Amino acid sequence: MKIISINAGSSSLKFSLFNMDDESVIASGLFERIGIEGSKYTIKYNGEKISQEIELPTHVDAVNILLDKLTDLNIIESLDEIHGVGHRIVQGKDIFKESVIVTDEVMEKLDTIKGFAPLHNPANMLGIEAFRKVLPNVPMVAVFDTAFHQTMDEVSYLYPVPYSWYKDFGVRKYGAHGTSHRYIANQVKKILGKDEYRLISCHIGNGGSITAIKDGKCVDTSMGFTPLAGIMMGTRSGDIDPSIIPYVMEQDGKNASEVIDDLNKRSGLLGMSEYSSDMRDVLEKCDEQNERAIVARDKYVRRVVDYIAQYYVLLGGADVIVFTAGVGENSVPVRRQICEELACLGVKIDIDANNKRGEFVKLSTDDSKIDVYVIPTDEELMIARDTMDLINR
Ligand code: ADP
């Protein structure tokens, strides 16, 4: 059975085509600058990579070209081989607690909540609409970044603000990266061979979130009403005192959305280092003893450690800590520093094991009180799995 996983942005469309018999990726690629001059696509298959500049006025054009290419390049023999298409949706609010088959009713519900993720949900919906037009008889599934976090209880998801903000405006913690954290939880369950475990999943990439998971269910997560909350990220501040916002507005003559833009795009590693949002660049500067970079790195680590410590207490201890995403999978010094700061919890890692990058590895030593792993995340596969499961039901 072949399934396509789609991640549609406002001007882009990423895809992975899976053979679900062995969960292998047959082809993957990206359509960029849709609706903008200079649009192009890149498709990787069979160890080859092809790229072409081509006019892509709309997402429907991108989908048409994608499907043409899949057959022209003999990646599939006919479109009949595509049994389902899974779509990533950033925000499902408390309406979508799990993945669903896309129907007209689902599209209507999505329309009512798009204001909760104005930069992402409308773009994700464009992807679904394009595929529904081009492949009207193929089942589509919507997979939500927020769904995994719907098991949080009120104490976790409510903010200590007037309750009417929640009742009237839907102000609560929704979280993000849920598909990644769910994938990690599934992998940990396989590794341990049991359903009962306390896991702290650290998805630390350009965006980042940490999730406390008990027996496969999310108990709490660091992102909030939006992905601006929680740990420090590449360009996002994570948690700050909200009074800073009106103060900076007054000092800098900016309006609220401009300050929020600063917090989303010019804060985090970039803001603190005054150099780069990329951890590799920041670490290079640290090697040159650049003071701003060192403080930025140390603050980044501090925030991750703060959340791990908080969730350790919340879960009544931890059996497993997992690092995943760009920094978690690749950054040897950052992982090492985080684990060193967790020594008081009995975390001990093998320095040689920690030298590996981008692959599954157990970092902890046999006498560590908590098992620590690096597990490369695979959100696309999780979307394809959900799609197959729902179609087969
Ligand atoms: P996104 O949240 O956009 O999906 P990624 O998960 O791809 O981001 O993470 C990107 C980040 O991963 C980069 O900004 C960089 O900081 C970090 N990263 C990737 N490779 C390395 C590496 N070898 N060493 C340190 N950091 C790395």
Side-chain angles (χ1 to χ4, degrees):
M1 180 183 264
K2 296 193 176 90
I3 302 276
I4 306 183
S5 267
I6 293 293
N7 186 352
S10 56
S11 65
S12 68
L13 192 133
K14 257 194 243 168
F15 80 94
S16 301
L17 172 68
F18 287 92
N19 177 354
M20 294 309 286
D21 298 341
D22 59 0
E23 298 193 331
S24 61
V25 177
I26 305 168
S28 64
L30 172 67
F31 288 71
E32 298 172 79
R33 301 181 64 85
I34 299 170
I36 309 172
E37 228 174 286
S39 43
K40 65 169 193 173
Y41 70 80
T42 311
I43 297 179
K44 287 191 219 163
Y45 70 109
N46 245 346
E48 282 183 58
K49 182 172 160 180
I50 57 160
S51 200
Q52 191 186 355
E53 287 206 13
I54 193 161
E55 249 187 76
L56 298 171
T58 68
H59 285 68
V60 173
D61 298 301
V63 173
N64 271 318
I65 290 171
L66 164 61
L67 296 175
D68 284 349
K69 288 290 150 197
L70 290 180
T71 43
D72 290 355
L73 297 167
N74 291 321
I75 296 170
I76 53 174
E77 273 173 35
S78 97
L79 295 182
D80 297 341
E81 287 177 41
I82 299 171
H83 283 90
V85 184
H87 296 266
R88 175 191 184 213
I89 308 282
V90 164
Q91 174 61 271
K93 268 197 89 216
D94 36 13
I95 295 181
F96 295 104
K97 295 182 192 300
E98 52 187 25
S99 302
V100 290
I101 299 251
V102 175
T103 59
D104 290 341
E105 194 192 335
V106 165
M107 293 307 283
E108 278 161 29
K109 280 187 187 159
L110 279 174
D111 205 53
T112 64
I113 61 171
K114 64 185 180 196
F116 281 83
L119 296 180
H120 296 105
N121 269 37
N124 302 154
M125 289 171 71
L126 278 177
I128 301 185
E129 280 155 7
F131 270 94
R132 287 185 102 199
K133 233 178 225 152
V134 180
L135 293 176
N137 299 318
V138 173
M140 308 276 155
V141 167
V143 179
F144 301 89
D145 271 4
T146 46
F148 183 63
H149 303 305
Q150 279 297 309
T151 49
M152 283 187 288
D153 67 11
E154 280 192 320
V155 179
S156 290
Y157 75 67
L158 284 180
Y159 288 105
V161 295
Y163 187 58
S164 59
W165 290 10
Y166 167 63
K167 275 191 308 187
D168 299 340
F169 312 134
V171 171
R172 54 159 283 179
K173 184 185 275 198
Y174 293 107
H177 296 140
T179 310
S180 173
H181 291 298
R182 184 157 57 97
Y183 176 82
I184 297 300
N186 286 358
Q187 297 303 103
V188 166
K189 181 179 150 173
K190 276 190 205 155
I191 294 166
L192 299 177
K194 59 179 183 178
D195 293 329
E196 292 83 34
Y197 55 88
R198 296 159 301 175
L199 160 67
I200 301 173
S201 169
C202 307
H203 177 114
I204 47 177
N206 186 35
S209 66
I210 302 195
T211 297
I213 296 165
K214 185 157 195 313
D215 308 340
K217 293 201 165 73
C218 167
V219 179
D220 203 352
T221 191
S222 63
M223 278 180 170
F225 180 63
T226 73
L228 181 53
I231 58 172
M232 171 174 161
M233 301 170 229
T235 61
R236 289 181 219 145
S237 60
D239 300 336
I240 62 157
D241 178 346
S243 305
I244 294 169
I245 296 169
Y247 177 74
V248 172
M249 284 166 66
E250 218 171 275
Q251 297 299 310
D252 220 4
K254 288 182 171 172
N255 64 31
S257 61
E258 287 168 331
V259 177
I260 292 291
D261 217 44
D262 283 344
L263 294 173
N264 268 308
K265 297 184 184 152
R266 287 173 282 281
S267 297
L269 284 176
L270 175 64
M272 284 195 83
S273 70
E274 296 191 307
Y275 179 62
S276 172
S277 62
D278 192 301
M279 185 58 93
R280 284 166 287 202
D281 299 339
V282 173
L283 292 175
E284 254 178 56
K285 283 277 165 196
C286 290
D287 289 343
E288 295 163 16
Q289 302 307 316
N290 179 290
E291 202 183 323
R292 296 271 57 78
I294 291 171
V295 177
R297 177 201 63 195
D298 291 353
K299 183 79 183 178
Y300 184 97
V301 168
R302 176 79 59 85
R303 279 295 168 93
V304 172
V305 170
D306 284 350
Y307 267 97
I308 292 176
Q310 185 185 325
Y311 290 161
Y312 178 88
V313 174
L314 178 65
L315 292 170
D319 303 305
V320 183
I321 295 172
V322 172
F323 294 109
T324 194
V327 177
E329 290 168 28
N330 298 297
S331 185
V332 171
V334 171
R335 282 195 310 241
R336 181 174 176 168
Q337 197 177 337
I338 292 169
C339 290
E340 279 170 359
E341 294 200 14
L342 294 172
C344 61
L345 300 182
V347 169
K348 279 192 202 164
I349 61 163
D350 178 333
I351 299 305
D352 289 334
N354 189 48
N355 281 331
K356 300 216 166 85
R357 293 175 200 272
E359 59 180 289
F360 172 86
V361 58
K362 184 174 185 183
L363 299 184
S364 49
T365 55
D366 289 345
D367 59 343
S368 176
K369 289 209 176 110
I370 305 174
D371 290 345
V372 184
Y373 290 94
V374 175
I375 303 180
T377 194
D378 199 338
E379 289 156 292
E380 292 78 18
L381 175 59
M382 205 66 224
I383 292 171
R385 281 182 185 167
D386 280 8
T387 304
M388 189 176 77
D389 288 350
L390 278 168
I391 291 173
N392 285 342
R393 240 179 237 177

